[in-house]
Amino acid sequence: MVIRMALKKEPVKGMKDILPQEMQIRDYVVGVIKETYGEFGFHSIETPCVESIANLTSKQGGDNEKLIYKILKRGGKLNLADASREEDVVDSGLRYDLTVPLVRYYSKNAAQLPSPFKALQMGNVWRADQPQLGRYRQFMQCDIDILGEASNLAEIELILATSTTLGRLGFKGFEVRINDRRLLKAMAAYSGFPEGEYDNVFITLDKMDKIGLEGVKEELLKNGYEETCVEKYLELYRGLEQAENGVAYLAEVLEGVLEPSVGDSLQEIIESVGAVKDCDFKMVFDATLVRGMSYYTGTIFEVAIPQFGGSCAGGGRYDKMVGKFTGNDVPACGFSIGFERIVMLLMENGFQVPDKPKKTAYLIEKGVEGKMLCDIIAKAQAARKEGSQVLMVRMNKNKKFQKKQLMEEGYEEFVDFYKEALKN
């Protein structure tokens, strides 16, 4: 008897199969990212996709902690009959981002890592979210982080590395929007909101681009905040619309509430990046930028690409997060590219992966020396200058097998150089 299993053709909801055309683009984007970030001194690392449930639910991930794919205990550790709480049956989960695993990784390995440590991490993450266009429950994240650098050199390097990468992928005219959580808190304090309500106020503020200033006012009043606080708060934003330099304007109005170093640092980041950037984008101070993660402690930033109509990269400073694992705070700052959105935009715009340089192998007979060898090297250099990739190797006795091996490595053309032929 033959038993046939009816396999479902569709993947699990919120997951997707990746066809060869997209895979080719994804591989290309990964290559550009790794090469560019490598030029900025970032080290590739890897962390497991499964993390301890205690780490994933440490209140560092905001609303993402509600979206964890949790994993049951295995074997004898799983006792469903006596379980009364979730903790009795769950001990781990799939990571929902790469920041929590990075902090755990750094906490364990800091003694073996350089300081500051510049980390590049790429990998899939999982969130039990409602799938929609460009958003799946499994997706690739690409993070760069600098741990151990307290100055704004970290922010400058992260912004330059990320903008350079996007430029090399063909994106132009995008914006890097920047703000500071300390500035947001100072504005809320100046307006008279209770400190315990800051995050709720910011949730409403984050809707500014959708509902406008009057919509923010209406929602804040609806949420029970005093009209004098709301009006004073919104007056700051009305003033920003008239100010030539938003950072300087707020630093002056918030004097005594905001540390002067916050405005100075923001201004330095904006001016430094603007002075040395080598691709088409602009730095924009955005006092409505909030960023949802509760672990941000200072500078925050994100990239907006006009073709997408939303952000496709974001990050900020999270100086207190390592300390929650180790007891000792470590300055930390990171930037994450929305890998899936970038790939989606490239595919929608008909992006074609550039042809790889032709790979040619020069097989040189033993005994070819002196001027004859020098002439071959000069020929190889000229071909490399024209964009070819040339390998020069001595010819083996079994030339047929040697060529077969080289073909497996991608070499398409072979040029044989024999001593007797070169003499003629």
Side-chain angles (χ1 to χ4, degrees):
M1 178 186 293
V2 177
I3 300 176
R4 299 183 183 275
M5 295 181 63
L7 297 177
K8 292 186 177 181
K9 294 182 179 180
E10 296 297 324
V12 173
K13 184 179 180 182
M15 311 290 181
K16 73 166 186 174
D17 296 323
I18 301 176
L19 299 179
Q21 181 185 3
E22 179 179 346
M23 201 66 220
Q24 188 179 25
I25 293 175
R26 294 172 75 93
D27 287 343
Y28 172 76
V29 173
V30 167
V32 171
I33 288 172
K34 287 189 173 183
E35 181 178 354
T36 307
Y37 284 155
E39 293 172 7
F40 280 81
F42 288 90
H43 304 278
S44 289
I45 67 166
E46 187 171 321
T47 58
C49 62
V50 176
E51 283 284 335
S52 161
I53 198 66
N55 289 348
L56 294 175
T57 56
S58 59
K59 303 193 186 313
Q60 300 298 307
D63 287 342
N64 290 330
E65 294 191 7
K66 302 173 184 176
L67 307 174
I68 300 171
Y69 279 100
K70 297 176 181 178
I71 301 173
L72 293 175
K73 294 179 180 179
R74 278 76 56 203
K77 293 183 178 181
L78 180 61
N79 187 346
L80 294 176
D82 296 333
S84 59
R85 304 169 304 163
E86 185 178 86
E87 292 82 355
D88 296 330
V89 295
V90 170
D91 62 359
S92 56
L94 297 178
R95 61 190 182 196
Y96 52 74
D97 74 0
L98 298 179
T99 305
V100 171
L102 170 67
V103 172
R104 194 262 315 144
Y105 171 98
Y106 182 82
S107 301
K108 177 185 178 184
N109 301 297
Q112 304 170 57
L113 299 172
S115 184
F117 179 52
K118 303 177 76 171
L120 162 61
Q121 189 176 187
M122 299 185 71
N124 282 321
V125 300
W126 292 262
R127 295 178 190 171
D129 205 348
Q130 287 300 321
Q132 53 186 282
L133 180 64
R135 178 182 293 178
Y136 294 90
R137 290 175 174 173
Q138 174 181 306
F139 56 95
M140 172 84 82
Q141 274 197 342
C142 169
D143 289 12
I144 49 172
D145 295 82
I146 302 178
L147 296 96
E149 177 56 71
S151 78
N152 61 19
L153 176 61
E155 282 90 335
I156 293 168
E157 279 277 272
L158 290 168
I159 293 170
L160 286 174
T162 301
S163 58
T164 300
T165 300
L166 292 173
R168 290 183 180 179
L169 290 170
F171 293 99
K172 300 177 181 179
F174 56 91
E175 293 181 346
V176 177
R177 297 174 182 164
I178 188 167
N179 197 10
D180 196 297
R181 293 282 288 194
R182 293 168 294 180
L183 182 57
L184 285 169
K185 290 179 180 179
M187 293 173 74
Y190 169 85
S191 303
F193 290 106
E195 186 173 353
E197 291 294 313
Y198 288 175
D199 284 342
N200 291 328
V201 172
F202 299 157
I203 288 171
T204 301
L205 175 66
D206 199 32
K207 303 174 184 177
M208 179 82 82
D209 61 333
K210 297 182 179 67
I211 63 177
L213 204 62
E214 288 305 309
V216 170
K217 177 180 178 179
E218 183 180 338
E219 185 165 320
L220 289 174
L221 291 173
K222 183 179 178 182
N223 290 340
Y225 297 112
E226 293 182 14
E227 187 171 358
T228 53
C229 294
V230 173
E231 191 56 40
K232 194 173 183 180
Y233 191 53
L234 297 184
E235 194 59 38
L236 289 172
Y237 286 96
R238 294 189 188 101
L240 278 168
E241 293 175 358
Q242 308 299 322
E244 289 186 16
N245 185 319
V247 176
Y249 162 76
L250 287 175
E252 182 179 348
V253 174
L254 300 173
E255 187 176 0
V257 182
L258 177 69
E259 295 177 30
S261 61
V262 175
D264 293 342
S265 179
L266 272 175
Q267 198 64 53
E268 186 175 27
I269 294 169
I270 293 169
E271 292 175 357
S272 298
V273 172
V276 301
K277 65 178 185 176
D278 62 356
C279 56
D280 179 16
F281 75 97
K282 61 180 178 178
M283 295 290 297
V284 177
F285 169 60
D286 183 355
T288 69
L289 179 62
V290 173
R291 301 292 302 165
M293 293 303 206
S294 60
Y295 53 65
Y296 288 127
T297 58
T299 320
I300 49 178
F301 31 75
E302 68 180 25
V303 173
I305 294 180
Q307 303 98 301
F308 180 68
S311 67
C312 62
R317 183 167 282 277
Y318 52 99
D319 288 347
K320 301 292 183 182
M321 195 170 174
V322 175
K324 293 185 184 297
F325 281 81
T326 66
N328 297 312
D329 289 338
V330 174
C333 198
F335 212 150
S336 178
I337 286 181
F339 182 89
E340 303 293 347
R341 294 177 181 177
I342 294 298
V343 171
M344 181 183 72
L345 283 173
L346 291 175
M347 293 186 68
E348 287 179 351
N349 290 315
F351 177 79
Q352 297 292 320
V353 174
D355 292 333
K356 294 180 180 179
K358 183 173 66 174
K359 298 179 73 171
T360 303
Y362 286 6
L363 305 183
I364 306 168
E365 186 184 26
K366 292 178 181 178
V368 174
E369 309 287 352
K371 185 178 182 305
M372 290 186 292
L373 182 60
C374 189
D375 289 343
I376 296 171
I377 295 172
K379 185 176 181 180
Q381 288 289 80
R384 289 165 180 156
K385 191 174 182 180
E386 293 297 320
S388 294
Q389 181 177 331
V390 179
L391 172 73
M392 294 196 305
V393 293
R394 289 293 182 181
M395 192 182 294
N396 291 346
K397 288 184 178 180
N398 189 342
K399 190 175 67 172
K400 183 177 180 181
F401 179 70
Q402 183 181 21
K403 286 186 175 181
K404 181 182 177 183
Q405 286 184 311
L406 289 170
M407 287 175 66
E408 291 174 356
E409 295 176 21
Y411 287 91
E412 310 163 44
E413 184 178 53
F414 299 92
V415 183
D416 299 337
F417 293 93
Y418 292 97
K419 185 176 180 179
E420 290 303 316
L422 291 169
K423 285 181 179 179
N424 298 330

